[in-house]
């Protein structure tokens, strides 16, 4: 199978199907809704759509708890809708990337149901079971959503492992029969002509629970090589692993082409910069832009020629980036453009999360009753018990809660922002100004910055293949870097603040051409709030 590595030149777009476009007015987005919006996505210029899970699921964790991998959840449509989406997208040169959740299933998956029959049942060993110790959990492993990672099944007098909710039992990757069943399922999807997989929490599959090892277990890379050979290695597809525990060294192991594991991973070092060291994401700290620059620069440099980066600000688990590190008040569009420009000239594959391209912002709540997300609710329950104040917990949720990214896509300024004519499963934000129609009608909107950045990536091979170098500016809030391929040089400069900033280069650049800016095409030693630009220089 010839590998074209098409994904190195493409810009990806993540869809959270539940919140993208509802066509049957049940208040939940669906597959026909995505198909209906393909023209919009093609106009933006993206070439691959990563869909968060659309499989059958009881939705304890919004689809990341799958009860049937080869069935579409009825709220999203049918397998025929899926086939149609794949085919229609293909006509527009857009590939569909499926979310592969194989660290765990739903407890309602037939495998787990069979496993509950006891150790004689062949499916029992598809999951991770241990005996308790003195009537207590087997060990102190914690779930990522808080609380013990073990749940007791009285009929078996055994505990099963779940690194997420107790409705998400972890699969036992030590079991070759389980692995073959997963590979078969993956091949079912690959045969449909999908463009690849995003692999949910894939760094957990090599876990050694008895050693308290969850991330980056000793057999992880061996397992991925086996999976590659048995499945996607035989297709010209992309694979991107979600790996919260990846360092640049580890990311090289995953994404070095010679090793035949994955195309790239999502790493989260930049995402962790606004939490207190050693604490959970809820324990807030202000971002230091120069720290962000150092982290990006490290990843750019360390993966160059040895792996491949993914580039993202947002996904369905993260707050909206403009509210987080930009300014969602007077500089909403300007700061959104600055963030986009900063990211999109780097080496790697950029991912845009639905609504990011029109500058959607967080959705603050005033009471936990308004929150859907299981992670936020679990945190609230735990911290209430530990004596935290309501105000403190809601501040955390408003800053970091996952619902922020999950409110419906804002298509227009009409009822429910054009998302649904029914009652949306999660309320719709204020779409009077922030909506797709308005963005398309204004040639200076953030949308056109994204569109231009996507076009530039297709035209300028320096963005894909060039070297990366940090450029000093003498101001910690003015971040700059240069990309270079042969004699072609691109300089990117951004003001990561809402104040005017002065800055100076060691050597003044000689402008060859302006590529993009969110102000005027004029180079001075002062930058306006959130000013950002990219230049071709001599
Ligand atoms: C990561 C997914 O992105 C998140 O939404 C989910 O809750 C966990 N993995 C568990 O599958």
């Amino acid at each position: 199978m010839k590998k074209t590595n098409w994904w190195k030149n493409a810009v990806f777009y993540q869809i959270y199907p539940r919140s993208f476009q509802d066509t049957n007015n049940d208040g939940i987005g669906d597959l026909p809704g995505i198909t209906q919006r393909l023209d919009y996505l093609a106009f933006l210029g993206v070439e691959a759509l990563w869909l968060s899970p659309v499989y059958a699921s009881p939705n304890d964790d919004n689809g990341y708890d799958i009860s049937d991998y080869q069935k579409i959840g009825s709220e999203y449509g049918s397998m025929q809708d899926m086939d149609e989406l794949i085919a229609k997208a293909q006509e527009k040169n857009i590939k569909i990337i499926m979310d592969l959740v194989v660290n765990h299933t739903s407890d309602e998956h037939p495998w787990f149901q069979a496993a509950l029959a006891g150790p004689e049942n062949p499916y029992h060993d598809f999951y991770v079971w241990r005996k308790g110790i003195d009537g207590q959990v087997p060990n102190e492993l914690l779930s990522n959503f808080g609380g013990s990672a073990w749940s007791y099944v009285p009929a078996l007098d055994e505990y099963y492992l779940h690194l997420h909710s107790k409705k998400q039992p972890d699969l036992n990757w030590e079991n070759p029969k389980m692995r073959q069943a997963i590979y078969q399922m993956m091949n079912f999807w690959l045969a449909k002509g999908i463009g690849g997989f995003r692999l949910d929490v894939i760094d957990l599959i090599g876990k050694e629970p008895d050693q308290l090892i969850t991330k980056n277990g000793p057999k992880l890379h061996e397992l991925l090589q086996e999976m590659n050979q048995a499945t996607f290695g035989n297709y010209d597809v992309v694979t991107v692993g979600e790996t919260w525990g990846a360092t640049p060294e580890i990311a090289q192991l995953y994404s070095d082409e010679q090793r035949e594991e994955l195309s790239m991973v999502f790493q989260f070092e930049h995402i962790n910069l606004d939490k207190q060291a050693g604490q959970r994401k809820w324990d807030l700290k202000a971002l230091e832009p120069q720290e962000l620059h150092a982290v990006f620069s490290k990843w750019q440099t360390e993966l160059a020629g040895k792996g491949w980066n993914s580039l993202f600000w947002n996904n369905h688990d993260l707050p909206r980036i403009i509210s987080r590190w930009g300014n969602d008040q007077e500089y909403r569009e300007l700061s959104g453009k600055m963030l986009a420009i900063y990211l999109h000239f780097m080496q790697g594959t950029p991912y845009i999360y639905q609504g990011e391209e029109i500058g959607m912002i967080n959705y603050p709540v005033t009471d936990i009753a308004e929150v859907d997300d299981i992670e936020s609710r679990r945190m609230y329950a735990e911290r209430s018990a530990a004596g935290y104040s309501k105000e403190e917990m809601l501040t955390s949720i408003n800053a970091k809660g996952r619902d922020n990214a999950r409110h419906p896509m804002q298509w227009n300024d009409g009822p429910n922002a054009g998302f649904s004519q029914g009652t949306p499963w999660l309320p719709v934000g204020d779409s009077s100004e922030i909506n797709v129609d308005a963005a398309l009608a204004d040639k200076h909107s953030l949308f056109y910055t994204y569109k231009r950045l996507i076009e530039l990536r297709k035209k300028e091979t320096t963005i894909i293949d060039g070297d990366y170098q940090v450029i000093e500016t003498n101001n910690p809030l003015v971040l700059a870097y240069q990309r270079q391929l042969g004699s072609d040089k691109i300089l990117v400069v951004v003001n990561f603040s809402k104040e005017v900033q002065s800055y100076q280069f060691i050597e003044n650049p000689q402008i060859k051409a302006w590529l993009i800016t969110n102000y005027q095409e004029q180079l001075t030693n002062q930058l306006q709030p959130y000013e950002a630009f990219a230049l071709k220089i001599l």
Side-chain angles (χ1 to χ4, degrees):
M1 159 57 44
K2 183 164 160 20
K3 303 280 166 130
T4 61
N5 290 351
W6 55 271
W7 39 268
K8 290 195 173 178
N9 306 298
V11 175
F12 285 41
Y13 187 94
Q14 183 192 352
I15 291 184
Y16 196 66
R18 216 175 174 71
S19 299
F20 193 61
Q21 177 70 71
D22 179 19
T23 58
N24 64 351
N25 300 323
D26 62 353
I28 298 177
D30 44 44
L31 294 175
I34 301 174
T35 305
Q36 206 178 81
R37 295 294 184 177
L38 285 171
D39 282 338
Y40 168 72
L41 298 164
F43 181 65
L44 175 58
V46 295
E47 289 176 284
L49 305 178
W50 151 29
L51 309 188
S52 278
V54 289
Y55 315 93
S57 163
N59 287 308
D60 186 53
D61 185 20
N62 285 2
Y64 284 91
D65 48 321
I66 298 170
S67 54
D68 188 342
Y69 289 104
Q70 289 174 216
K71 196 168 162 216
I72 298 297
S74 55
E75 67 274 42
Y76 296 120
S78 63
M79 194 56 87
Q80 202 184 332
D81 294 327
M82 187 73 219
D83 292 337
E84 190 171 320
L85 172 59
I86 295 171
K88 290 265 165 64
Q90 186 64 49
E91 286 168 16
K92 296 183 197 301
N93 192 31
I94 295 177
K95 298 181 200 296
I96 301 295
I97 313 302
M98 297 300 280
D99 212 316
L100 185 75
V101 189
V102 293
N103 175 66
H104 45 267
T105 67
S106 163
D107 63 341
E108 296 181 32
H109 192 289
W111 295 344
F112 191 73
Q113 289 301 310
L116 288 174
E120 321 69 48
N121 187 291
Y123 288 103
H124 184 264
D125 194 42
F126 271 40
Y127 295 87
V128 182
W129 298 93
R130 295 288 184 274
K131 288 284 178 204
I133 295 175
D134 300 331
Q136 300 294 317
V137 291
N139 62 34
E140 65 261 41
L141 274 182
L142 293 178
S143 145
N144 286 337
F145 293 158
S148 172
W150 298 100
S151 276
Y152 185 59
V153 177
L156 303 183
D157 188 26
E158 283 183 325
Y159 290 81
Y160 65 90
L161 180 74
H162 54 88
L163 294 174
H164 296 86
S165 95
K166 66 170 190 244
K167 285 186 68 62
Q168 293 168 297
D170 278 52
L171 285 165
N172 175 17
W173 279 82
E174 299 280 335
N175 179 345
K177 288 209 179 90
M178 189 291 292
R179 302 205 298 271
Q180 291 309 320
I182 292 289
Y183 301 157
Q184 235 175 48
M185 172 278 285
M186 292 172 70
N187 283 325
F188 162 86
W189 283 103
L190 288 162
K192 283 192 176 289
I194 60 164
F197 293 112
R198 174 264 186 188
L199 297 88
D200 190 65
V201 287
I202 201 65
D203 57 350
L204 301 182
I205 66 170
K207 65 186 77 78
E208 303 262 338
D210 303 314
Q211 271 68 58
L212 304 182
I213 296 172
T214 55
K215 288 181 188 133
N216 299 318
K219 296 211 189 104
L220 172 61
H221 294 281
E222 211 179 288
L223 287 170
L224 286 173
Q225 286 165 5
E226 179 188 275
M227 180 190 282
N228 179 312
Q229 275 177 30
T231 65
F232 47 75
N234 306 312
Y235 293 82
D236 187 18
V237 297
V238 70
T239 48
V240 49
E242 185 200 24
T243 59
W244 282 83
T247 59
E249 297 72 43
I250 295 173
Q252 282 176 25
L253 299 178
Y254 288 112
S255 64
D256 172 352
E257 279 174 44
Q258 313 301 320
R259 294 174 50 86
E260 304 196 341
E261 293 187 19
L262 303 178
S263 314
M264 65 188 115
V265 294
F266 292 125
Q267 58 82 16
F268 294 87
E269 195 174 345
H270 60 303
I271 292 299
N272 281 324
L273 291 174
D274 59 0
K275 77 175 177 83
Q276 292 169 34
Q279 303 296 314
R280 294 179 66 193
K281 72 179 196 180
W282 309 112
D283 304 301
L284 311 176
K285 175 189 130 185
L287 175 78
E288 300 285 349
Q290 75 269 34
E291 264 183 31
L292 181 80
H293 202 37
V295 166
F296 269 113
S297 301
K298 176 175 79 181
W299 281 87
Q300 287 290 298
T301 312
E302 295 197 12
L303 287 198
K306 299 184 191 139
W308 193 251
N309 273 293
S310 62
L311 306 169
F312 68 97
W313 289 128
N314 273 113
N315 67 33
H316 64 291
D317 294 329
L318 304 175
R320 292 281 179 183
I321 195 62
I322 291 179
S323 301
R324 185 179 199 172
W325 293 340
N327 180 304
D328 61 12
Q329 303 296 310
E330 67 268 43
Y331 298 116
R332 184 181 65 85
E333 290 222 68
L334 278 169
S335 66
K337 289 174 184 174
M338 179 280 283
L339 289 159
I341 292 170
Y342 178 72
L343 193 70
H344 279 247
F345 283 95
M346 295 201 179
Q347 185 171 51
T349 300
Y351 290 74
I352 301 169
Y353 177 69
Q354 69 181 43
E356 177 184 334
E357 76 281 16
I358 56 165
M360 283 177 62
I361 59 177
N362 280 356
Y363 186 106
V365 295
T366 54
D367 196 278
I368 190 66
E370 295 170 68
V371 176
D372 173 83
D373 170 34
I374 183 170
E375 185 193 34
S376 301
R377 285 189 283 109
R378 291 287 305 264
M379 176 280 272
Y380 195 91
E382 255 181 40
R383 291 200 165 181
S384 301
Y388 284 72
S389 73
K390 173 177 175 176
E391 196 195 345
E392 230 173 324
M393 293 182 291
L394 288 178
T395 301
S396 294
I397 289 175
N398 285 332
K400 295 281 184 73
R402 305 195 298 179
D403 280 353
N404 281 309
R406 301 178 178 186
H407 290 271
M409 181 71 179
Q410 294 169 192
W411 296 102
N412 58 44
D413 62 3
N416 295 331
F419 163 67
S420 170
Q421 289 170 37
T423 307
W425 72 279
L426 200 62
V428 181
D430 177 4
S431 73
S432 52
E433 278 172 28
I434 309 174
N435 66 71
V436 168
D437 282 359
L440 290 176
D442 172 7
K443 289 285 174 229
H444 299 290
S445 71
L446 175 60
F447 176 90
Y448 288 100
T449 294
Y450 273 98
K451 184 169 163 62
R452 169 91 179 133
L453 290 168
I454 296 171
E455 278 161 12
L456 283 169
R457 187 167 283 263
K458 288 190 188 131
K459 273 202 234 114
E460 304 287 343
T461 44
T462 301
I463 306 177
I464 314 287
D465 296 322
D467 291 341
Y468 176 96
Q469 199 194 328
V470 177
I471 301 291
E472 293 305 328
T473 65
N474 259 321
N475 181 334
L477 298 173
V478 177
L479 314 182
Y481 62 88
Q482 180 178 301
R483 302 292 311 281
Q484 179 168 4
L485 188 65
S487 60
D488 193 52
K489 292 185 193 166
I490 297 175
L491 173 68
V492 180
V493 182
V494 311
N495 175 0
F496 217 101
S497 82
K498 69 172 187 321
E499 282 82 37
V500 172
Q501 299 290 339
S502 307
Y503 71 107
Q504 86 211 54
F505 295 123
I506 295 170
E507 205 182 310
N508 275 329
Q510 283 184 279
I511 305 174
K512 203 167 150 198
W514 284 80
L515 292 176
I516 196 163
T517 171
N518 57 353
Y519 280 82
Q520 267 134 40
E521 294 187 353
Q522 196 183 20
L523 191 59
T524 69
N525 57 5
Q526 275 209 332
L527 293 176
Q528 295 305 305
Y530 298 109
E531 183 165 351
F533 58 81
L535 300 171
K536 281 243 182 170
I537 56 172
L538 289 176

